[in-house]
Amino acid sequence: MPAAELTKSQELIDIEERYGAHNYKPLDVVIERGEGVWVYDVEGKKYLDCLASYSAVNQGHCHPRILQTLIEQAHRVTLTSRAFRNDQLPLLYQDLHDLTGYDMALPMNSGAEAVETAVKAARKWGYTVKGIPDGQAEIIVCANNFHGRTTTIVGFSTDEQYRRGFGPFTPGFKVIPFGDAAALDKAITPNTCAFLVEPIQGEAGILIPPDGYLREAARICRANRVLLMCDEIQSGLGRTGKLFACMYEHVTPDVLIVGKALSGGFYPVSAVLASREVLGVFQPGDHGSTFGGNPLACAIARTALRVLAEEKMVQRSAELGAYFLDRLRTLRSPDIVEVRGRGLWIGIELRTPARPYCEALKEQGILCKETHDRVIRLAPPLVITRDEIDWAFVRIRKVIERP
Ligand SMILES: *Cc1c(COP(=O)(O)O)cnc(C)c1O
């Protein structure tokens, strides 16, 4: 086809494929605008976003109040670096403390950086507080984990593709099965400083551990003086129908890692929350980030948190998630293995690859992404309405139950 006849989407896709590294395989939809749960492609076609940027836009695309904050703060000052103080960071600290009760926070940008920060905090706590011999600290992690893409983090992934070609890796990590508290108990040694876990494994396919697992893990960690570090970067801030997924088991982890929706998708903001005993191990110069804790990020995060609370998004996630899950459980197809979820975080596990279903859903105006080959993940912004869920359900049924 001559270039002149290419659609605008195809033109942009061609440029992206030619000049960009191919570390993703996106669905071929080129989004130019978003509002709430809806996004629009360059041809003006409208889609219901059922991924919500991996739960970074829980508050909905371009939330007007967060947008207003971004504009106002961008007019004032955006970056001071931590060489100086700024007037927004203390207010974010205060808000995070008031919201979660944690003594202290350490702000970063991406989720992976926050996980790295937690790893460093746990190790230094191990040496300086627990008394682990220098260089011997061990951190226990779970099979099928997803904690980000840095070399240290992929080094303890069990996904071959995440690791292949990227070694050698950071030592000091031990992998146990997810959902198995006895395995945790067995894996702990006097040199164990922390257990790093997702309360629900999102990237692995919305894997929900057995009831009581987290509570038991917390008990085992406490009994052995091991820090329980929960990665709630994706599960947190309302996605599962509670503010944090740990709350389903009344567990308060020693270290809580947040990111993604902390900014409502406007800007990368992440943080590690912990007690003074843990985050107090950092001395000036131990750790840092040029952008971490910048005033633009802090202002955005504060409004993103306020919007979540004032618009009762956590409650919406619980109620509408239960409704969506009930409807999806009525789907009848020999391809379905299981439909599971918590809040507006739902996985449809199939016997066959999920990608063709995601392609077909895209044609119906629903954007979602397969995770781990055979699971369709549905995670719309928490501002979705019952009518929009009904709208989506009709189309999902059409695709899943097609003859
Ligand atoms: C997305 C995610 C990360 C990594 O966050 P980035 O911002 O992509 O670095 C870490 N842990 C979990 C559970 C995530 O979902």
Side-chain angles (χ1 to χ4, degrees), residues 42-269:
V42 289
E43 273 79 37
K45 185 171 175 202
K46 143 178 173 171
Y47 303 85
L48 186 88
D49 180 2
C50 276
L51 180 64
S53 306
Y54 300 94
S55 297
V57 287
N58 284 357
Q59 297 88 338
H61 287 278
C62 298
H63 191 288
R65 289 176 63 195
I66 311 176
L67 175 63
Q68 190 59 32
T69 295
L70 176 135
I71 292 167
E72 285 172 11
Q73 187 60 42
H75 278 289
R76 271 188 223 119
V77 65
T78 55
L79 183 61
T80 54
S81 85
R82 299 286 305 276
F84 313 118
R85 299 180 191 268
N86 70 67
D87 69 345
Q88 297 298 310
L89 180 57
L91 304 179
L92 177 60
Y93 283 153
Q94 184 75 59
D95 287 355
L96 286 171
H97 169 76
D98 293 347
L99 183 71
T100 67
Y102 282 96
D103 292 345
M104 289 182 139
L106 196 160
M108 296 296 279
N109 312 287
S110 69
E113 285 173 296
V115 172
E116 289 274 353
T117 301
V119 165
K120 287 171 83 173
R123 285 179 166 186
K124 195 162 182 205
W125 174 88
Y127 299 127
T128 60
V129 179
K130 187 171 174 176
I132 295 171
D134 201 33
Q136 303 294 305
E138 295 166 356
I139 294 176
I140 298 169
V141 299
C142 288
N144 302 315
N145 69 70
F146 182 82
H147 298 290
R149 300 291 206 154
T150 66
T151 35
T152 289
I153 293 170
V154 299
F156 58 77
S157 171
T158 57
D159 186 317
E160 248 319 287
Q161 201 204 341
Y162 291 0
R163 298 162 51 90
R164 201 182 315 124
F166 302 126
F169 298 114
T170 311
F173 296 93
K174 196 185 272 185
V175 183
I176 60 167
F178 179 61
D180 182 347
L184 172 63
D185 199 36
K186 238 172 81 189
I188 290 173
T189 75
N191 291 340
T192 306
C193 62
F195 173 48
L196 172 63
V197 65
E198 299 155 84
I200 293 174
Q201 289 187 327
E203 292 311 297
I206 324 283
L207 298 184
I208 304 170
D211 278 347
Y213 169 65
L214 222 53
R215 203 162 41 241
E216 182 61 4
R219 190 195 61 76
I220 292 166
C221 285
R222 207 175 316 113
N224 291 279
R225 221 171 166 219
V226 166
L227 300 176
L228 174 64
M229 306 205 293
C230 287
D231 179 345
E232 293 241 27
I233 292 169
Q234 192 166 159
S235 58
L237 300 174
R239 177 49 61 190
T240 66
K242 298 257 187 209
L243 185 61
F244 296 107
C246 288
M247 291 174 166
Y248 277 101
E249 303 218 339
H250 307 286
V251 164
T252 306
D254 300 294
V255 176
L256 183 70
I257 309 166
V258 290
K260 295 204 165 111
L262 183 53
S263 72
F266 276 84
Y267 192 94
V269 190

Side-chain angles (χ1 to χ4, degrees), residues 334-382:
D335 266 3
I336 294 180
V337 177
E338 189 186 24
V339 180
R340 56 176 175 258
R342 281 265 161 87
L344 279 166
W345 212 26
I346 298 172
I348 303 176
E349 185 177 338
L350 304 168
R351 276 175 236 288
T352 57
R355 178 79 181 201
Y357 283 97
C358 294
E359 302 273 4
L361 285 167
K362 187 196 92 173
E363 295 311 309
Q364 296 293 322
I366 293 174
L367 295 185
C368 57
K369 184 73 165 59
E370 76 278 8
T371 180
H372 273 241
D373 287 355
R374 291 186 300 103
V375 180
I376 304 170
R377 166 178 32 199
L378 297 168
L382 309 182

